[in-house]
Amino acid sequence: MNGVSGERSKGIVLRSMVGLVVAMLSLPTVIVIGASFTAGEIIRFPPDGLSLRWYSELWQLDDFRQALWRTFHVSIICTLISIPVGTLAALASVRTRFRFGGLVRIYLLLPFTIPLVVSGLSLMTLFGHARILGQLWPVGVGLCVINLPFMIWSVSASVNHLDPELENAASSCGAPPVQAFLTVTLPAVAPGIITGALLMFILAFNEFLVSLFLTDSRTVTLPVQIYNSIRSVITPDLAAVSVLYIVIAVLAIWLLDRLVGLEIFLKSR
Amino acid sequence: MSDDRHPHPVPLAWRLLDRIEGLVAALWPFRSGLAVGRAFLLPAVLLVGLLLAGLGIMLEHSMHELSLATYRLKPEYSAANYLTFLERPVYIHVLMRTLLAAVIVTLVTITLAFPYAYVLVRTRSRSARKFLLVALFLPFFIGQVVRAYGWLIILGKEGILSTFLTRFGIDPPGMIYNYPAVIFGLIQYMLPFAILLIVPAITAISEEVELASEGLGARWPSTFRHVVLPMASPGIVGASVVVFTLTLTDFAMPEILGGGKNDFIANLIYDSFFQISDPGLGSALSIILVAVGSILVAGVFHLAGPGTLGVRGVRP
């Protein structure tokens, strides 16, 4: 009953489902890459020849170039804020026994439980009251707030795997608190910090909805610029911008794999 | 020791560190772990507090009706915005459309994500695992707008699929700007989230349990149904909650793939703010969306526990 034929049917079923999901996941990426190299004015299949013209045309569009730099700008602000804030919060929320520890953890998950559209509007309303809309740094702060749980999550996973006895050993060997923190705690949680920082950067780089609310025509960032440029006629210039996103995603995945290994996401929590 | 050019080698880093120690000790006289913990937590609490502060202002705005004479919110409190939601059938209709989408997307996404997560964990081939991980992370790291744009190229009126079908003499059906297109785009968007949340639950299942079930004569579909699925339920609960809430609150897919005729609640909120310029009504709709989402999630957690979403606390 079991044995070879059972194994085989299981293999066939699983493999075909996984194949379907891989196709669904990859199709838009593959198509966008293909479309960006077309020589024609519109995207057609088969394409009207191959060229790099849309890449060079794109580079000459000031709007897109500036939007790209702004996107880097806000993503870096977001990442730089999230590293210390998220690391310290993760250490505290895992290690310290607070009286309302459960509530604190739920509170820190609020950015995930409040819908993005509401978070974006609430930050827009708040920043509007504070008269800081129209600048780039509040956008970075906003993106940091909405994704902060990712940072806390990543670092918490590392903290959970760190034996507190190591730090106790450091202090009983005479290391003062700051030294113990810098030489024992930080290196031990570094994989979590790296994972979290990469996630924060890439998510900020991609965030569309909250950026839509926090930017205006002078501070528009790339995801919003792409959205604004999507028309019913599909032109290949947007495909070229999208390829830029794909390249950055590939770089981030490569870095993540090199620095901590993608398999870190397969661990049971 | 390390630097033999100096007679008394105290590395600069050590001296610097001593200074910092002194400074910290002077600035932070507390010895208790609780005080340190509170100080560590403070920046994150303040940052998340920005969100709550904004939400507080929105709650306040939601209780003021828009004056059509001045196009400002009237100073007196009223429940008019909430009544508008209840009285106009369009809002309930859109809420139902959004909820239905959330249910469909959750069911399909979990069904597709589960075998993927299972193979990802169980495969013996290192290269297959790497391939599946990259195939998963690539779309995860490419935002919603770019992915929706990819689907526009494929499914659009002059898109690749249409041209392809026309070539074979098939009149292409409208594949874009309708409800199924939105659902399809959302499923593709949610797959990585679902897989990443199911994976830890499957990792936690020992392979020997499955072997034992098969050794006792169960065929693999029964093993899957009676052993793997129940044991992976924390992952399924976690993934369902995330996919459901993300769909319930999505804006970009209905906006880009729905063509204006398949709006979700988020699109109505956007329109209240930026099309009809009524921040009172938009705030009320936002508060309703938060309430509906929270009540549903709380219900699931109450029935099934937080699954893989639970944040682990202090070790026992």
Side-chain angles (χ1 to χ4, degrees), chain A residues 57-168:
Chain A
E57 283 192 21
L58 189 74
W59 193 245
Q60 277 146 24
L61 287 177
D62 281 345
D63 288 354
F64 271 97
R65 228 179 36 223
Q66 283 167 5
L68 174 66
W69 293 133
R70 282 189 214 113
T71 313
F72 271 113
H73 188 141
V74 297
S75 307
I76 288 169
I77 293 178
C78 161
T79 314
L80 288 183
I81 298 173
S82 73
I83 291 174
V85 174
T87 306
L88 295 181
L91 279 167
S93 63
V94 177
R95 287 286 177 75
T96 318
R97 284 171 186 276
F98 294 106
R99 200 184 310 161
F100 301 108
L103 276 182
V104 169
R105 279 187 287 276
I106 291 173
Y107 176 87
L108 291 179
L109 276 177
L110 276 179
F112 276 5
T113 49
I114 298 175
L116 271 186
V117 57
V118 180
S119 300
L121 287 166
S122 94
L123 289 171
M124 181 188 85
T125 312
L126 183 73
F127 291 168
H129 269 265
R131 301 189 183 285
I132 49 175
L133 276 180
Q135 302 174 53
L136 276 179
W137 67 265
V139 184
V141 173
L143 297 178
C144 178
V145 173
I146 56 153
N147 287 322
L148 192 64
F150 276 111
M151 188 77 199
I152 299 179
W153 231 352
S154 313
V155 183
S156 296
S158 288
V159 179
N160 273 323
H161 288 121
L162 165 67
D163 189 347
E165 289 306 320
L166 283 175
E167 287 150 304
N168 291 343

Side-chain angles (χ1 to χ4, degrees), chain B residues 283-304:
Chain B
S283 300
L285 292 175
S286 303
I287 301 293
I288 292 169
L289 180 62
V290 172
V292 169
S294 312
I295 290 168
L296 289 172
V297 172
V300 172
F301 282 177
H302 185 71
L303 290 175

Side-chain angles (χ1 to χ4, degrees), chain B residues 103-125:
Chain B
V103 172
I104 299 173
V105 170
T106 307
L107 289 177
V108 180
T109 308
I110 301 295
T111 312
L112 291 173
F114 195 86
Y116 194 99
Y118 180 82
V119 173
L120 185 57
V121 173
R122 286 284 188 255
T123 181
R124 306 212 187 286
S125 151

Side-chain angles (χ1 to χ4, degrees), chain A residues 221-241:
Chain A
T221 54
L222 204 48
V224 183
Q225 179 84 20
I226 295 178
Y227 170 75
N228 289 339
S229 318
I230 290 181
R231 298 277 174 274
S232 49
V233 182
I234 301 157
T235 51
D237 52 349
L238 281 188
V241 197

Side-chain angles (χ1 to χ4, degrees), chain A residues 9 107 160 179 206 235 266 269, chain B residues 21 141 143 203 220 308 315:
Chain A
S9 71
Y107 176 87
N160 273 323
Q179 193 181 359
N206 279 297
T235 51
L266 299 182
R269 299 198 318 118
Chain B
E21 285 306 341
F141 282 180
T203 310
W220 74 265
T308 41
R315 282 167 207 253

Side-chain angles (χ1 to χ4, degrees), chain B residues 183-199:
Chain B
I183 300 277
F184 183 74
L186 280 167
I187 292 171
Q188 200 260 358
Y189 178 64
M190 299 302 164
L191 275 169
F193 291 98
I195 296 169
L196 284 174
L197 283 161
I198 293 175
V199 152

